[in-house]
Amino acid sequence: MKLPDFEAWSIFACVVEHKSFTNAAQALGLSKATISKAITRLERQVGAPLFHRTSRRLSLTDSGHKLVEHAKAILSEGQAAEEAARDEASEPVGLVRLAVPMSFGLKHVGPLIADFLCANRGISIDMHLSDAKVDLIGEGFDIGLRIAALPDSSLRARKLRDVQTYIVAAPSYLERMGTPRHPSELGEHECLLYALLTTPELWRFTNAAGEEVAVRPVGRFRANNSDVMLHSVRSGLGIAVVPDFIVEEDLANQTIVPILTDWQPRAVALHLVTPPGTIRPHRVTALIDYLVAQLGR
């Protein structure tokens, strides 16, 4: 049995990451000729060119695009295996890259990370805050937190908890415009739209009897962050659909009130997701265990 050329696959991943043979050679401490020979060897093995080469530019071919994620996985698994062996007898050290939704990260993850870093002096964390969906593998993240109904993917996902979603408005808006009694009436109201929903132009609701209603909301304000929308809800500008961690304080203070409480928007949950593969550095496992313990309560 002929073993795969793991070195060539790893070099291929590094060339893609560093965008040139020269940069990859410098990063790996190898000669440019060694890099070139490894890529040529790999192209011969797969039977197709991996790069378009010009004097000014290096770009992936169709075959290169199809194979690059496999190469990144091979490199990542190899690095993780070596780190796991080193870490077994030592305290966790090194960098962990973490992708977190913006509002949830600010409210709930930031304080936890501060405590984690105080307890783990050898670990550094690069936390990326964004409500947009992040490509964990392509952008090199070790861990991601996602609040959604997750589609099938190659990522490994662990559900931490359900997230309650509320239909809310300010008392001033309801006094002025009236309180809808059925989701179908939302089409007659001013709605505030969260742009990063899977289908922001369509709100779906179900009740305990299993009835389903789909509504096309209309409104003058649309944003890709729920915290920003909350200011407009408080001001009485309209009705919004928001998760519990965004609106819990306002509900407690009654500055915002829930409506249509017999109906539920699409169910979502908080998930911890990681790239495929079972071997992880000790530092990544340490942060995963900590987040699961703290956020899965």
Side-chain angles (χ1 to χ4, degrees), residues 102-271:
M102 176 70 73
S103 297
F104 186 76
L106 291 172
K107 290 176 179 290
H108 295 288
V109 183
L112 294 179
I113 293 301
D115 292 341
F116 178 83
L117 289 173
C118 288
N120 295 270
R121 296 292 180 176
I123 296 179
S124 301
I125 293 178
D126 175 9
M127 187 164 77
H128 175 85
L129 293 162
S130 174
D131 285 341
K133 184 178 178 180
V134 173
D135 179 1
L136 257 62
I137 298 173
E139 298 184 40
F141 286 99
D142 300 294
I143 306 169
L145 294 175
R146 289 185 178 169
I147 299 172
L150 288 188
D152 291 336
S153 75
S154 62
L155 299 176
R156 301 178 68 195
R158 178 169 182 172
K159 179 179 173 180
L160 300 184
R161 73 170 179 90
D162 291 317
V163 175
Q164 176 72 36
T165 308
Y166 294 92
I167 314 163
V168 298
S172 60
Y173 175 86
L174 300 176
E175 290 170 8
R176 188 174 76 254
M177 303 300 296
T179 303
R181 303 299 177 187
H182 190 274
S184 60
E185 298 176 18
L186 290 173
E188 303 167 11
H189 284 263
E190 180 77 13
C191 297
L192 306 170
L193 309 179
Y194 180 56
L196 296 181
L197 290 176
T198 305
T199 55
E201 73 286 350
L202 195 67
W203 288 354
R204 299 181 185 274
F205 305 94
T206 58
N207 63 12
E211 296 177 85
E212 297 185 4
V213 176
V215 179
R216 293 194 176 276
V218 177
R220 295 183 298 130
F221 185 52
R222 175 178 175 135
N224 64 355
N225 179 268
S226 295
D227 264 328
V228 171
M229 287 198 318
L230 209 55
H231 298 293
S232 296
V233 180
R234 294 187 189 112
S235 298
L237 293 179
I239 295 171
V241 176
V242 290
D244 52 19
F245 62 88
I246 294 288
V247 78
E248 54 196 356
E249 293 181 11
D250 286 276
L251 292 178
N253 298 331
Q254 296 187 332
T255 52
I256 291 174
V257 296
I259 61 173
L260 298 171
T261 53
D262 292 335
W263 293 85
Q264 279 297 309
R266 187 183 182 191
V268 295
L270 171 65
H271 295 85

Side-chain angles (χ1 to χ4, degrees), residues 27 36 83 93 147 162 170 214 252 258 270 278:
S36 181
E83 290 178 10
V93 296
I147 299 172
D162 291 317
L270 171 65
T278 57

